[in-house]
Amino acid sequence: MCAPISCVGPYVLRNIYHSTDFEVHRNWLAITHSLPVSRWYHENTSEWTLDYPPLFAWFELGLSHAARHFDPDMLLVENLNYASPSTVLFQRLSVIFTDLLFIYAARECCRCVQDQKGSRDVLNRPSFVLAVLLLWNFGLLIVDHIHFQYNGFLFGFLLLSVAKHLQRQHLQGALLFSVLLNLKHIYLYVAPAYGVYLLRSYCFTQDNKDGSVSWSSFSPLRLLALGGIVASVCALSFGPFIAMGQLPQVLSRLFPFKRGLCHAYWAPNIWALYNTLDKILATLGVRLKLLQEAGLPRASMTGGLVQEFQHSVLPSVTPSITLVCTLLSILPAVASIWFRPRGARGFLRCLLLCALGSFVFGWHVHEKAILIAILPLSILAVENREDAGIFLVLTTTGHYSLFPLLFTPAELPIKVSLMLLFTIYSFTALRKLYSGRGSLLRPLESVYLLGLVGVAFACEVAFPLSPWQQKLPFLPLLATSVYCSLGVCYSFLRLYASLLRPPGKPKQP
Amino acid sequence: MQTWSLVSMCVLLGIVVRWGVSLNSYSGAGKPPMFGDYEAQRHWQEVTYNLPLQEWYSNTTENDLNYWGLDYPPLTAYHSLVCAYVAKTINPEWVDLHKSRGYESPAHKLFMRATVLVADLLIYIPAVVLYCLYLTDGSTKKKVCTVFCFLLYPGLILIDYGHFQYNGVSLGFALWGVLALGLGWDALGSLAFCLALNYKQMELYHALPFFCYLLGKSVKLGLMGRGLFLLVRIASTVLVTFALCWLPFLSDPGDAMQVVRRIFPVARGLFEDKVANAWCSLNILIKIRSILSSDSQIYISFACTLLAVLPSCVRLLMKPTFWQFKLALVRGIQLIILPLFLKDGLLVPYAVTSLAFLFFSIYLLSALEHCSEEELRLGAFHKLLFCLPKLDLFYISVSAMAGLSVVTVALVPPTHLPDLFPVLVSSTAFLHFLGTFIYFNIVQFSEPPSRKSQKKND
C-alpha cells in the first residue's frame, strides 16, 4: 500500500531542479542510441563520458528506444544540455518506472523480517516499518528523483540479492549481484563480503561442531555453479568489448584515478577530517611562522572541479594508500564471517561494514554512497535493538550530509520537510518497536544529533545572510562534511563492535 | 504512535505537497497584458506600498482600477503592504510604481509562493490542527485522518499554491472562529470571524450561521441576564474589530463608501464565469437572462439565497448547539459555490471533484467509525431516492465527475454548443449541491444522536 504513494510522490516533484546527472544520462541515451557499439567507450563529445559498465549501457540502449517516442532530439549526441519538457518527463518517468524493481525488492526484504509474536496492528509490525523506511527513504528520494540517478533500480538489485540470501536461495542472490556489479561497479566495495560468504557458507556445505570450517565438505559443484553464473553475466556484459579488443579502454573509463582524493564536496569520511586537520595545521603553521605561506600549495581541494592536489603539512594521500586502508578496514569483518560464520545476517553485517569501510577510507567517494550502507542497515534495524540505535545515528547523519546536493532556495522547504518527515517517522516507529526497554540512543548520540539541527540552521539560514558568505563560500560545505564524518566514523566503529563481539548473546541466524 | 508525531508528519506532508504544487505555473504566467491573479497580488503590493491609504481604492492617475484594482476588504490590503515591505528589502524592482507591472522572475515567484506558505503556516494550518485535535470526537487515528484530509484537500492547495490566492488566510481565520466558539470563547470567536470577514467578503456566506448561533445562544441564556451581557460583549467585539480594520478609512465617509463599492460590485451580473448555481442550471430551462432585468436578477438571487439558508438558521436560532452550528456552516460552504472557479476550464473539474472530496471524506470518515445507516440518517434520504442503493450513489457521483473531467480535458465541444462542458460541469455540481442540501436538511431537522448532544451541550 505504500507503493502507489511512493510513485505519486516523485511525480508531484517532477518539475523541481535536476542536476548535471540529468545531462549525463541524456548523453548516455544519445551515445547508445546513435552510435555503434565500438564507439561507446571512445566517444567524448560531451565531458560526461560513459563510465558505467557495459550492462548499464545496454540498459540505456533499451531506454533510448522508449525515449524515441517522447522526444527524438534528446538522442542526438550533439544536443548537449538538451532539456525539453518531454525529455525531463521521460527521464523522470524512467526513474519512477525502474523503481518498481526497488518496490519489489523491498517487499521481498519485508517478507524475510521476522514478525515478533503477539498481534500488533499493521502499523507497528517490523515488516511495515521496514517497508516505509525503504520506500520513503529520504536519501533515495532526493538523490533519484530530484538530483537524478537510477539508484532505486540498482538498490533494487542489491536488496533483492540480500533478500535471496536471507531466504537461502544463494544462486539467485549471486546472479543478482553479478548483474548489479555489471550495472555499476561501485558495488565492488561489497564484493569481498559476497565472495567470502558464498565461499564459506555455500561452497562448504557443513561446519564442524565448533563452528570452524570443515574442509572435507567442500563442494566443487557449487563453486562451479557460482563461477559459471558470474562468468556468464560478465561475458554478456563485457563480451562484445573484449571481442573488439577495447577492454583496456573500457577499464580506463570505469576507473578514472585521475580524479582527486575528494569530490568537490567532501564526502563525510576520514579524508574530510584529514583534509581539515591539514588545513588547520597549515594555518597554524603560517600564523606561528613555522611555515612559509609561499611554499604551500594553492588551496584547491575545495574548488568546484575535481583536481589533483597536495596536502600542505600532512603527507599526501595516493590511491594506493586509500586502497590499503580500505582493505585493512574490511579485513576483520571478512575474516570474522570466515572463521565465525553467523549465517545470512552475519553476511549482511559484513556487507554493511564493507560498504561503510570503503566509504570511510575510499578514494574519491561520493556522498551518495552512504546509501549503500543505510538501506541494508534498515533490515537489521527493525530486528535488533542495538542496530536500531546505530541506524538512527547513521541515517540522520548520512541524510543530512546529502543536503548540499540540493542547493537552490526553491528546494529548501522540500528538503527540510522531507528530512524531518523521515526522521520523525524513523525515530517514533523504531522507538515504538522497541518500547519499554529504555532509550535507543545514548545521551552523547542525542546531543550529536541535536547538534545537526544547529549545523543545519547555521549553514542554510545564518551563513548565507552573514558577511562571510563572500569571503569563505566553502565554509558551510566544510562544516557539514566534518560534522557528518564524525557521525559516520562513529557508526562504523559501533557496527564493528557489534560484529566482533564474542557471541555471548544468542544471535538470530 | 504518539499523536504529536503523527500530526507533525501530516503537517510536513502537507507542506511538501503545497510546495511541490507551487513549483508549477501560476495564473497568468507569461500572458500579458493582464496576466492573472498572481499579477493582481503583486500589483496590490505595489499599490499599497507606494500610494497613500486614501488612494488605494480610488481611481486616480497613479492608480488605475481597471488594472487589477483592489476589490477585497482592508485586511487584504494591509497583508499586501506587509509583503510589500519584505519585497522592497529583497528587491525594490518588485514593487516599483508602474515600472513593475507584469514583473516575472524565478526569484519573485519564489518570494510570492513563500508568502502564501508563511500565511498558511501562521494561520490556516494551526487552526486545522487544533480544530481536529480538540473539536472532533473519535479515536486518535480518526483525528489524525481528519487532519490529513483537511491538509491535503486538493482544492485549496491547487487554488492557493497553483493558481495563486490567499484563501488559506480567510479560511484559517474563519476556522479559528469556529474553534473558539466550540471551546465556548464566544467573543474571541467573533473577533476571529470578523478578521476573516475583513479579509475576504466571501466569508459573508458564513456570517449567518455565526450570527444565528450567537444570537440564539444569548437568547437561551436569558435576555435579561447573562444573555444580554454576552450579546453586548460580542457586539462590542465586532464593532471594535471592524472599527480597527477600517479606521484609516473612517476619517472620510467618501473613502469608506468607495471601499464598499469596490468590495460589492453589484454591477457585475449573475452569470460571471458560469458559476455553478441554480441560475445557470435553471437558465437551460428558462432563459432567465432574457426575461428579467439585471437588477431584478440580483434581488431575486439574494432573496432565494436567503430563503435557502433560512431554515437552517431558524433551526440554529431555536437550538443553538455547536453541532447545529457546524451543520449550518456546511450549508454555508455549499452556498459559496466556489467563486474560486477559474476562467480556464481545466481546473473546474478538479475543483468540483475536490468539493465532493471534502464532503465525502469528512462524512465518510464518520461512516467508517459508526457504520450504521442510523447514524448517518440516510434512511430518510433513501426513502426519497428509493431507486438507488446507498454506496452506489457515491460511486455514481465520483464516476460522473471523473468522466466529466476527462471529457472536458480530452474532447472538443461541438461548435454549436461551445460552452457545453462548463455548463455540464456547473449542472453536475449543482445536482450534487442539491443532493447534499437535502441530505443536510434531513440531518439538521431530525433528532441528533443522543451521544453527541450530551457532549456538545454548552
Side-chain angles (χ1 to χ4, degrees), chain B residues 75 206 266 271-272 277-278 343 386 389 405 426:
Chain B
L75 215 54
H206 289 146
V266 286
F271 291 93
E272 175 145 334
N277 57 22
K343 286 192 169 39
F386 48 85
S405 314
S426 312

Side-chain angles (χ1 to χ4, degrees), chain A residues 289-399:
Chain A
K289 305 276 193 288
L290 295 171
L291 295 169
Q292 295 290 346
E293 186 156 0
L296 294 174
R298 287 287 299 149
S300 57
M301 282 181 269
T302 47
L305 299 171
V306 289
Q307 299 163 355
E308 298 269 9
F309 55 80
Q310 308 272 324
H311 287 98
S312 325
V313 176
L314 300 172
S316 283
V317 178
T318 65
S320 345
I321 296 183
T322 61
L323 191 62
V324 168
C325 289
T326 311
L327 286 175
L328 282 177
S329 73
I330 67 176
L331 201 59
V334 165
S336 156
I337 59 166
W338 175 269
F339 291 112
R340 263 192 298 133
R342 290 208 237 150
R345 277 169 176 71
F347 151 69
L348 186 55
R349 216 171 280 275
C350 177
L351 185 147
L352 279 169
L353 283 165
C354 290
L356 257 186
S358 328
F359 183 85
V360 170
F361 292 101
W363 177 268
H364 200 80
V365 172
H366 282 241
E367 61 285 349
K368 304 177 215 120
I370 196 73
L371 290 174
I372 309 181
I374 289 178
L375 286 172
L377 186 54
S378 320
I379 303 177
L380 292 178
V382 299
E383 289 185 326
N384 179 303
R385 194 166 169 278
E386 190 189 351
D387 291 328
I390 305 174
F391 173 80
L392 288 177
V393 175
L394 183 63
T395 307
T396 316
T397 312
H399 283 168

Side-chain angles (χ1 to χ4, degrees), chain B residues 53-119:
Chain B
L53 197 137
Q54 284 70 25
E55 289 184 35
W56 288 355
Y57 288 88
S58 343
N59 214 349
T60 65
T61 40
E62 302 287 345
N63 186 14
D64 176 16
L65 286 184
N66 280 328
Y67 185 80
W68 301 115
L70 259 173
D71 53 3
Y72 283 136
L75 215 54
T76 300
Y78 302 146
H79 181 210
S80 299
L81 184 62
V82 170
C83 294
Y85 270 108
V86 179
K88 188 83 176 179
T89 37
I90 304 177
N91 185 348
E93 280 180 40
W94 292 346
V95 287
D96 256 344
L97 190 60
H98 301 316
K99 277 182 273 180
S100 61
R101 269 207 195 174
Y103 190 97
E104 290 181 294
S105 82
H108 186 237
K109 180 180 172 186
L110 195 60
F111 165 72
M112 296 291 276
R113 296 293 194 199
T115 57
V116 184
L117 186 65
V118 166

Side-chain angles (χ1 to χ4, degrees), chain A residues 103 152 190 222 234 248 301 316 352 401 493:
Chain A
I103 294 174
V190 300
R222 289 190 170 187
C234 289
M301 282 181 269
S316 283
L352 279 169
S401 73
L493 292 172

Side-chain angles (χ1 to χ4, degrees), chain B residues 205-216:
Chain B
Y205 285 113
H206 289 146
L208 260 180
F210 269 84
F211 177 73
C212 295
Y213 172 71
L214 290 170
L215 185 60

